[in-house]
Amino acid sequence: MQMVSWQDAVLSVGGFAIFANGTDYQYKLPFTFQSMGKLSRIDRRLLCCDKTICSCLNKQGAMAPAHMDMIDQDTGEQVRYQREKPRCCGLIKPRMLVYHNGQKQGSLAKTTRIFNRCHTCMEDLRNQEIQVLSLHDENGELVGNTVRPGAGCCLTMYPSLPMRCMPIRIAGSNAGAFVCVACTMEAWPSPDRCTGMPFPFHVLNGQVGWGCIPHGCLSCDPICCQSCVRGPKPFYRAVGFPLVCFCCPLKTCCISCPMISLKRSELPITSTFRYEDMDIKFPNREERGRVQFQFRGNSPSAYTHDASNPFNAVMSLPGGQKVGILASAIMMARSHSFGLPEPLLEGVPVTGQGPDFDGWVTSFNTKEILALEACLDEHNLVVQDCQLNDTSLKGYTLFKIGYSTKGGNIGIFSWGGTEVRKPVSVMNKVETSSIIANGKKNVDAITWKLCFYMMDPEQEILTRRTGGVDKTFKDWHITSGLQEVSLECTCVRVCKFPFSCTRHESKLCQAGLGKTVFKQMVVGHFSYQNHCLNMFKQ
């Protein structure tokens, strides 16, 4: 039977089925099967040995198979995904073998090479793409792979020209300075905690880091400088250290006035969607296709499942053929356990991922925020490729933003001040740009907090507002644009010495103590159609 082209595929994880090119492959488990001994599986003539000499080998019971068979019940076409055990004391990672109608098509495996962790560390420091998974045909030839971007070095240092006033403190004495030239120094080491320490050093496991001490020699994969790779969180930040400054006694002079206005904000939003992407490339690193894992949350839902496992897995691979059927093994190995405590590809680095279910994204880089501002449309929808702290945001809508700043110190010298602007709801790009304009003026260590949600691109559930439904039909999921409108009194700063005219608002009081004054249906804000992320359904 000839193999189909395998250009597109959709895996229904909960339904244990793969739909590809008009063919529906269902997971097959025989209705009945006979128990056999371990030697009888090798050769039927060894049944007597299982019954007599080697009967003790079969007392442990039958082991769970490490494969899954997907069969088209109409044509009998079959695909098997079979997991292999690791070899050479775990140095050679377990592979996923793929068979089509009983014939081996190839394998999927994690990257295995001599001194792999050392090579990976050097590629991270040089910001090179790092190969994560490899697709090999039946002859062992590399036909495709997945990669992740390099993390970079943990140390950064660069100058800046803030041209602004800031408070400074020397040995406890307060002063003010106009800073012309400043310098930023940051350290972002990767966490490389001790593991596998024997007694009596086992108390150090997970408590201290290796630093630059060589380790991992017993596993034949040593490494020494993992901490030099850029990690997800900063260890030390000296942002805006003054290099050239002048005395500025009027650092706090400003002009402010009170103002009363109506404030609109979104009602609390619960997100039930997030995704991860894996780009599939040719051996020469040219783009070939993509696998996307879609996760769905449990709240609020009558159907509950493990939210850490993919709800759907989708593949798009123009050309397909053998590489397509091998790439489908990525969906299976990430979604099902194959007899392991967790899926084989659990925790494997991905090319990109969206915000978590709570929607919050943290950024320590104002340049990323300015790039995000350029990618927003008038309704705060991210319409271009954009990343904040390795989080992909294309197709998401920004609805909350805030920031906090913290001054730095070196010994008896400290500079900068603390400013906290709690995340507030923003309804359009004008409001977003106003907050970003205030935050980017700071040369102190700044932490941005933003919240996003994904507008539903699928068919909506009928409601009493959108369709003629029965009177007993209840609206459980309110997805329309309900807003909270309140009366606020704010103090607006219009000018600050020496030449800052950036508008800054500080809330003084709010009518109703923050409760909803009245609600208003705003359809226009949600009428914008989203065609950014839903790439497999266009």
Side-chain angles (χ1 to χ4, degrees):
M1 188 175 296
Q2 186 177 4
M3 183 178 64
V4 294
S5 60
W6 282 83
Q7 293 190 15
D8 302 281
V10 176
L11 167 65
S12 176
V13 178
F16 298 99
I18 294 180
F19 183 79
N21 300 301
T23 303
D24 191 9
Y25 299 88
Q26 300 288 337
Y27 172 62
K28 175 62 178 178
L29 184 67
F31 283 16
T32 59
F33 57 91
Q34 294 179 316
S35 299
M36 298 180 62
K38 296 182 178 180
L39 297 179
S40 302
R41 294 179 182 274
I42 301 175
D43 194 315
R44 303 294 187 267
R45 292 171 293 185
L46 298 178
L47 177 62
C48 59
C49 297
D50 280 327
K51 295 293 185 180
T52 56
I53 303 176
C54 302
S55 59
C56 60
L57 297 178
N58 303 315
K59 292 183 178 180
Q60 298 179 355
M63 297 180 60
H67 67 269
M68 294 182 67
D69 292 303
M70 315 299 291
I71 301 178
D72 180 9
Q73 296 297 330
D74 295 330
T75 63
E77 186 179 358
Q78 305 183 15
V79 180
R80 167 174 286 192
Y81 302 93
Q82 179 174 313
R83 174 182 60 85
E84 275 192 342
K85 295 182 179 180
R87 294 173 290 174
C88 297
C89 300
L91 182 61
I92 299 179
K93 308 298 182 183
R95 298 187 302 168
M96 183 70 68
L97 303 179
V98 182
Y99 299 88
H100 181 259
N101 293 332
Q103 304 299 315
K104 183 179 178 180
Q105 301 299 314
S107 62
L108 162 71
K110 297 180 181 179
T111 299
T112 300
R113 53 184 174 177
I114 300 177
F115 300 120
N116 177 57
R117 290 201 293 176
C118 282
H119 286 294
T120 302
C121 180
M122 295 302 297
E123 291 169 347
D124 268 323
L125 293 175
R126 293 194 294 261
N127 274 322
Q128 295 179 347
E129 287 188 338
I130 298 169
Q131 183 172 315
V132 179
L133 301 176
S134 303
L135 302 175
H136 299 268
D137 60 13
E138 69 275 16
N139 298 320
E141 296 292 334
L142 181 66
V143 294
N145 52 49
T146 68
V147 298
R148 69 168 176 86
C153 182
C154 67
L155 299 177
T156 57
M157 181 182 297
Y158 55 89
S160 60
L161 302 174
M163 306 300 292
R164 65 180 288 267
C165 294
M166 69 166 58
I168 61 174
R169 180 179 300 175
I170 303 176
S173 301
N174 295 323
F178 183 83
V179 182
C180 301
V181 182
C183 179
T184 296
M185 298 166 286
E186 297 179 334
W188 297 64
S190 292
D192 188 17
R193 299 295 182 182
C194 294
T195 57
M197 297 288 287
F199 180 84
F201 305 104
H202 64 284
V203 295
L204 300 177
N205 290 332
Q207 301 299 322
V208 297
W210 286 104
C212 294
I213 302 176
H215 59 283
C217 299
L218 296 179
S219 61
C220 300
D221 194 7
I223 191 171
C224 59
C225 297
Q226 180 65 36
S227 298
C228 295
V229 177
R230 186 180 180 89
K233 295 182 179 180
F235 174 76
Y236 176 76
R237 302 179 70 196
V239 181
F241 175 72
L243 295 180
V244 179
C245 59
F246 304 96
C247 179
C248 180
L250 301 178
K251 63 181 186 306
T252 59
C253 292
C254 61
I255 301 176
S256 302
C257 62
M259 181 178 297
I260 298 177
S261 60
L262 287 177
K263 179 64 177 179
R264 295 182 179 182
S265 60
E266 296 281 0
L267 292 181
I269 295 178
T270 299
S271 179
T272 63
F273 175 86
R274 73 178 185 90
Y275 75 94
E276 295 178 354
D277 283 339
M278 279 190 179
D279 290 342
I280 302 176
K281 298 190 176 184
F282 288 100
N284 59 1
R285 302 298 173 88
E286 291 184 6
E287 193 77 25
R288 184 159 193 173
R290 176 174 295 181
V291 175
Q292 184 179 87
F293 302 98
Q294 301 177 358
F295 302 80
R296 303 304 296 268
N298 286 319
S299 176
S301 174
Y303 167 75
T304 58
H305 63 286
D306 186 357
S308 63
N309 286 338
F311 188 80
N312 285 314
V314 189
M315 180 188 73
S316 177
L317 194 70
Q321 297 298 333
K322 187 167 294 184
V323 181
I325 195 171
L326 294 177
S328 67
I330 299 177
M331 301 190 295
M332 299 293 294
R334 177 62 180 87
S335 305
H336 300 296
S337 61
F338 287 86
L340 298 175
E342 58 185 17
L344 180 63
L345 298 184
E346 178 78 21
V348 170
V350 296
T351 306
Q353 59 184 355
D356 208 347
F357 292 123
D358 58 7
W360 287 102
V361 178
T362 302
S363 177
F364 303 94
N365 191 343
T366 302
K367 293 182 180 179
E368 291 183 341
I369 302 299
L370 297 177
L372 169 66
E373 182 183 10
C375 297
L376 296 175
D377 71 349
E378 59 181 345
H379 301 292
N380 279 346
L381 176 67
V382 184
V383 295
Q384 299 178 21
D385 290 329
C386 181
Q387 285 195 344
L388 288 184
N389 201 13
D390 298 329
T391 302
S392 300
L393 300 174
K394 184 177 180 180
Y396 280 83
T397 300
L398 172 67
F399 76 102
K400 282 187 177 181
I401 182 173
Y403 62 87
S404 60
T405 63
K406 182 180 179 181
N409 68 283
I410 297 179
I412 63 174
F413 179 76
S414 61
W415 67 95
T418 300
E419 179 184 1
V420 178
R421 182 157 189 173
K422 295 182 179 181
V424 296
S425 180
V426 285
M427 303 301 302
N428 50 58
K429 187 175 181 178
V430 175
E431 297 179 2
T432 303
S433 299
S434 175
I435 297 177
I436 294 177
N438 283 284
K440 72 180 183 180
K441 296 293 184 180
N442 290 281
V443 296
D444 305 322
I446 186 168
T447 301
W448 295 88
K449 293 200 66 176
L450 307 95
C451 196
F452 298 84
Y453 69 89
M454 170 69 70
M455 290 190 294
D456 195 345
E458 302 174 345
Q459 293 291 337
E460 295 183 357
I461 300 175
L462 291 177
T463 64
R464 296 180 182 180
R465 184 183 63 85
T466 59
V469 298
D470 190 82
K471 61 180 181 180
T472 60
F473 191 89
K474 297 181 179 180
D475 294 345
W476 290 107
H477 301 90
I478 307 300
T479 59
S480 300
L482 293 176
Q483 295 180 357
E484 176 183 344
V485 183
S486 58
L487 188 66
E488 285 188 353
C489 180
T490 58
C491 180
V492 181
R493 188 193 71 198
V494 295
C495 180
K496 183 179 180 181
F497 181 84
F499 46 75
S500 176
C501 296
T502 304
R503 179 188 177 98
H504 184 276
E505 296 183 7
S506 300
K507 184 172 67 174
L508 300 177
C509 60
Q510 183 176 10
L513 299 178
K515 297 182 180 179
T516 303
V517 178
F518 63 90
K519 296 179 180 180
Q520 177 178 325
M521 188 71 68
V522 182
V523 182
H525 179 63
F526 286 86
S527 63
Y528 191 91
Q529 296 297 319
N530 174 26
H531 298 291
C532 297
L533 173 70
N534 197 26
M535 62 178 186
F536 299 118
K537 294 187 178 181
Q538 292 182 2

